[in-house]
Amino acid sequence: MSVLRPLDKLPGLNTATILLVGTEDALLQQLADAMLKEDCTSELKVHLAKSLPLPSNVNRPRIDLIVFVVNLHSKHSLRNVEESLHHVDATFFLGKVSFLATGAGRESHCSIHRNTVVKLARTYRSPLLFCDLEIGDFRATMAQRLVRMLQICAGHVPSVSALNLLSLLQSSENPSLEDL
Amino acid sequence: MDSYDAPESTPRQCASSRLKDYFIGATPLQKRLESVRKQTSFIPTPPRRKIPQCSPLQEDVDPQKFAFLLHKQWTLYSLTPLYKFSYTNFKEYSRLLNAFIAAEKQKGLAVEVGDDFNIKVIFSTLLGMKGTQRDPEAFLVQILSKSQLPSEHREGKVLWTGWFCCIFGDSLLETVSEDFTCLPLFLANGAETNTAIIGTWFQKTFDCYFRPLAINAFNLSWMAAMWTACRMDHYMATTEFLWSVPCSPQSLDISYAIHPEDAKALWDSVHKTPGEVTQEEVDLFMDCLYSHFHRHFKIHLSATRLVRVSTSVASAHTDGKIKILCHKYLIGVLAYLTELAIFQIE
């Protein structure tokens, strides 16, 4: 149906597009603003979505990186992300998908255990980033990081591909964790 | 975590563990460092837990002894191990603490001068408040007001109560040396100023550290499931949940009350393995409540924050306040709280 595929459109000239998926509208908006403020040689396009599938009637450029944002304070956001993941083609998970967990700083508000998200990221073999998007400085740092990742995924950084980045981001795991 | 506790607890006997060679002759500090390192890389909460049963040690203790602990609101703190604490020095400790409190009140802004010097501090042991034989004995500290009239010999009113306990604290007891007494859970009832003064005295005397124990929504939903799973003869209170919706200008509170027998029926339909509670069952139990609420009110409770859980067994608030209502499951409730306290210390 309307499954997102990484290579079904032609890339725009010097354009890199990121899709942020999550239920926390305010946080996504702030993160998008922070990313657009970043100095970048490529032209950045940030798309925000509450959930997938995206409406098919809109003409949108090729998406280079999808970031699923989970708020550890809300189980609803986790369910939303889990359902949206079904609408992403498997080939996207070769370095073009990332998970971002927010809200880990305020332990007393957390209703999802940190390891639930870790397991989710491991199942989809994608990197998991932790960032408290409510705090301005952390958000700016994360925006910087995402812009660099986006440039790599769009192919704008010579000799580094999304797959290279993925293997670099995999942390050295304890072999027993593979059983999860 | 249970499968990793085994190599730690029996380092000499576990032959197949790769950690065996490391742990033989390891000092307690090395063991602690190893356990802290492991905590950060493995799942801290076990995917399954035992439903709190009547502890065999509690069977022989008269339930009347612990009756004064029930139906009171306790504020929770986690406490690091006490250095050179001795159960035989209670009289000495009472004397010192009494003097300390008098001194503090004197230099403070005590308005009622007369009453403040007529207090008495009593230390006493709570026998039987433990999970296994290895757990240190729980003890109780009470501040009583001395009766004004010399003819009355009875004890004065209890102004403040605090007790220290450790229930099934094996993971902490492993890694601590002989000089330390591990009583990670501290419960206090009474004026906040008294708690602060007593806390300061303990911190100075035994080189320990108190921290308020907050209970997050994840643990509250575990408590709700475990306590609903407890078999009760008759239910004293309705099962009630309270959620806080983060919205501006002031947060909204949603309260959801269920008849306790309905909650138990729901739990029984979700529950599969007898004697154990798993993460999936807890999630399913809460999801049923959320979807029922959503069907009627179109509000996603899963996007809000669970703040308070109240059942016939006990009631807990996210700020670290607990009230235990049922003496049968007292040990079970305390065991879970001890686990949270130990996790906070580590």
Side-chain angles (χ1 to χ4, degrees), chain A residues 73-77 79 107-116 119 174 176-177 180, chain B residues 4 18 41-45 214 216-218 283 286-287 290 300 302-305 318:
Chain A
H73 301 179
S74 145
K75 268 200 209 153
H76 179 62
S77 67
R79 294 273 171 273
E107 178 63 33
S108 57
H109 287 233
C110 285
S111 56
I112 306 172
H113 199 273
R114 201 178 142 258
N115 281 84
T116 316
K119 252 178 32 177
N174 231 298
S176 49
L177 274 172
L180 280 175
Chain B
Y4 284 94
R18 68 184 183 277
S41 44
F42 293 115
I43 305 172
T45 67
N216 63 23
F218 177 75
D283 285 340
M286 297 305 289
D287 283 342
Y290 291 153
H300 286 285
S302 48
T304 62
R305 185 180 140 225
T318 192

Side-chain angles (χ1 to χ4, degrees), chain A residues 108, chain B residues 75-76 212-215 220 305 307 316-322:
Chain A
S108 57
Chain B
T75 311
L76 297 169
L213 183 66
I215 311 174
L220 281 175
R305 185 180 140 225
V307 154
H317 189 279
T318 192
D319 290 339
K321 301 207 186 330
I322 186 138

Side-chain angles (χ1 to χ4, degrees), chain B residues 31-32 44 56 62 120 124 146 222 229 231 238 267 317 342:
Chain B
K31 282 192 215 165
R32 272 207 71 71
D62 185 15
K120 195 161 63 153
S124 51
K146 274 196 277 213
W222 262 94
R231 210 188 330 246
T238 51
W267 173 256
H317 189 279
I342 292 177

Side-chain angles (χ1 to χ4, degrees), chain B residues 68-171:
Chain B
F68 71 101
L69 298 173
L70 304 177
H71 301 283
K72 267 206 190 86
Q73 170 127 309
W74 300 101
T75 311
L76 297 169
Y77 295 85
S78 67
L79 178 62
T80 57
L82 302 163
Y83 184 63
K84 290 216 158 60
F85 176 83
S86 155
Y87 289 95
T88 51
N89 287 355
F90 277 175
K91 283 219 160 33
E92 179 73 16
Y93 295 151
S94 307
R95 209 174 47 79
L96 289 170
L97 188 48
N98 219 338
F100 185 77
I101 293 178
E104 287 290 315
K105 291 260 163 106
Q106 218 167 18
K107 71 177 163 181
L109 311 149
V111 181
E112 336 86 63
V113 175
D115 287 66
D116 287 345
F117 297 132
N118 283 351
I119 56 162
K120 195 161 63 153
V121 177
I122 296 188
F123 277 64
S124 51
T125 2
L126 281 171
L127 289 168
M129 184 69 74
K130 44 159 72 169
T132 61
Q133 286 299 347
R134 281 195 63 184
D135 290 330
E137 288 289 350
F139 71 96
L140 178 72
V141 179
Q142 280 178 311
I143 298 182
L144 306 165
S145 63
K146 274 196 277 213
S147 54
Q148 302 283 9
L149 305 168
S151 58
E152 290 179 8
H153 291 290
R154 60 181 172 85
E155 297 293 320
K157 194 157 68 82
V158 176
L159 297 174
W160 183 92
T161 319
W163 48 295
F164 300 73
C165 69
C166 175
I167 317 279
F168 295 111
D170 291 329
S171 59

